[in-house]
Amino acid sequence: METESELPREILSKIFGHLSYFDLSNVLLVSRLWKDVAEDPWLWKDFTVNVNNSEVFTKLMKMQRFSYLRNVRVSAGFVRSEEDARILFSELEKHIFIKELNLCHNDIKSVCPRTLAKCLNKFEKVKNVELAGSQVLELFNLISNGTNLKEVEICSTDFESIPEDMFSKAISNLNRLNLKFPILTKEQIEIMFKTITEDTRVKDIDIAGNDNLYKMNVSGFAPYVSGFAPYERRVQKLVRMAKGKHSQKLRKHSAWRKRGEIHAILLAVRKTDVV
């Protein structure tokens, strides 16, 4: 009977591929052969590196096992200085296999807009990023001209400086856009909903905490809700609550403070047969 040391490297690699990353890290300590096999970058490609120290991050990114790393999460509060931001994006630019980046609301507004935009534009998914006006303008300029990005989650950012045509083209090149507490013009919001109903690539969009959303011409907004699942479901829920036993619950809902908006939506929805 063959011992584990006599097993072919290919068999060991297949076995190691079924282990958790915790167990795989222990495998590295068993023997030189096992360590050599377990260092295969393909075994670690879906591991998520948590960045909480500049020096450690630099060392990790030089390790063979992380050559094909796809996921990086930057711990909240990691960026405390311009130097931390510089080191972070310097390392991220070097690794072409990274697909997903979670910036966890770190302050990266000191990074050169062009450098930042080029770096983010090569990923497929970017989450929890807060940008300066010049940075988001540069990013949307690149996205509008073609991008690897599929999903973007941007928080607490002013979009008003972005031209409407650029904004529209950028959105049409994304699969999912999540804007949390953005500063958007009413025209940008209307263009956004018009774009997503005309472009089949956009699968999901979410806006939270934008005052202009409540100041829009709701009658013009309602047709874009129709057929757009995420918002249609929300409107349907409001209608059911208004008609059913949950009317009291609706009054307690935080959105009830915008009762004029809800009333206008329901009227517009009724006219467009959304529900």
Side-chain angles (χ1 to χ4, degrees), residues 240-257:
R240 288 195 300 270
M241 289 171 70
K243 290 181 177 179
K245 299 178 181 179
H246 302 289
S247 58
Q248 190 66 30
K249 182 179 179 182
L250 179 61
R251 290 186 177 88
K252 294 179 180 179
H253 195 279
S254 60
W256 189 253
R257 297 168 194 158

Side-chain angles (χ1 to χ4, degrees), residues 180-195:
K180 296 181 178 179
F181 303 99
I183 300 176
L184 294 162
T185 66
K186 289 187 286 185
E187 291 75 20
Q188 286 174 327
I189 297 173
E190 290 173 352
I191 286 174
M192 187 181 334
F193 283 95
K194 183 178 179 180
T195 301

Side-chain angles (χ1 to χ4, degrees), residues 128-263:
N128 297 315
V129 57
E130 298 182 15
L131 302 172
S134 57
Q135 291 172 328
V136 74
L137 177 61
E138 189 65 42
L139 176 62
F140 269 59
N141 181 39
L142 289 183
I143 294 175
S144 66
N145 290 302
T147 181
N148 290 320
L149 278 168
K150 296 178 180 178
E151 299 184 20
V152 184
E153 185 177 284
I154 304 177
C155 313
S156 305
T157 297
D158 187 347
F159 294 83
E160 292 181 310
S161 63
I162 301 176
E164 293 173 6
D165 58 338
M166 181 191 297
F167 193 76
S168 176
K169 289 178 182 177
I171 292 172
S172 66
N173 284 336
L174 297 170
N175 288 350
R176 182 175 187 274
L177 178 63
N178 188 353
L179 304 181
K180 296 181 178 179
F181 303 99
I183 300 176
L184 294 162
T185 66
K186 289 187 286 185
E187 291 75 20
Q188 286 174 327
I189 297 173
E190 290 173 352
I191 286 174
M192 187 181 334
F193 283 95
K194 183 178 179 180
T195 301
I196 62 178
T197 54
E198 295 177 347
D199 195 304
T200 57
R201 180 174 178 182
V202 182
K203 301 296 190 302
D204 191 14
I205 190 168
D206 199 1
I207 309 172
N210 181 265
D211 289 338
N212 275 331
L213 194 59
Y214 305 116
K215 299 174 184 176
M216 288 177 59
N217 181 341
V218 186
S219 296
F221 167 73
Y224 302 130
V225 177
S226 178
F228 187 56
Y231 280 88
E232 187 172 349
R233 286 194 297 269
R234 295 178 192 182
V235 172
Q236 288 172 340
K237 182 177 180 181
L238 285 173
V239 172
R240 288 195 300 270
M241 289 171 70
K243 290 181 177 179
K245 299 178 181 179
H246 302 289
S247 58
Q248 190 66 30
K249 182 179 179 182
L250 179 61
R251 290 186 177 88
K252 294 179 180 179
H253 195 279
S254 60
W256 189 253
R257 297 168 194 158
K258 305 290 184 181
R259 65 180 65 189
E261 173 225 356
I262 293 174
H263 179 67

Side-chain angles (χ1 to χ4, degrees), residues 21-47:
Y21 289 115
F22 177 80
D23 291 333
L24 193 58
S25 62
N26 287 327
V27 163
L28 294 166
L29 307 175
V30 174
S31 68
R32 289 183 178 179
L33 173 61
W34 281 30
K35 181 179 186 300
D36 189 37
V37 175
E39 287 279 5
D40 183 352
W42 284 106
L43 294 174
W44 295 88
K45 67 182 186 301
D46 293 320
F47 180 75

Side-chain angles (χ1 to χ4, degrees), residues 70-126:
R70 294 180 178 179
N71 306 309
V72 173
R73 179 183 182 276
V74 184
S75 298
F78 165 76
V79 178
R80 295 185 177 88
S81 65
E82 292 186 13
E83 181 63 13
D84 288 336
R86 186 195 65 77
I87 293 173
L88 173 64
F89 282 92
S90 175
E91 290 299 327
L92 291 173
E93 281 185 315
K94 296 175 185 177
H95 293 266
I96 62 173
F97 292 100
I98 296 175
K99 303 297 183 184
E100 182 173 333
L101 175 66
N102 187 344
L103 282 162
C104 294
H105 305 283
N106 274 275
D107 185 359
I108 57 170
K109 294 178 180 177
S110 64
V111 180
C112 168
R114 183 67 178 174
T115 300
L116 177 68
K118 286 180 64 177
C119 186
L120 297 183
N121 201 45
K122 73 175 187 175
F123 303 132
E124 291 184 359
K125 186 175 182 179
V126 175

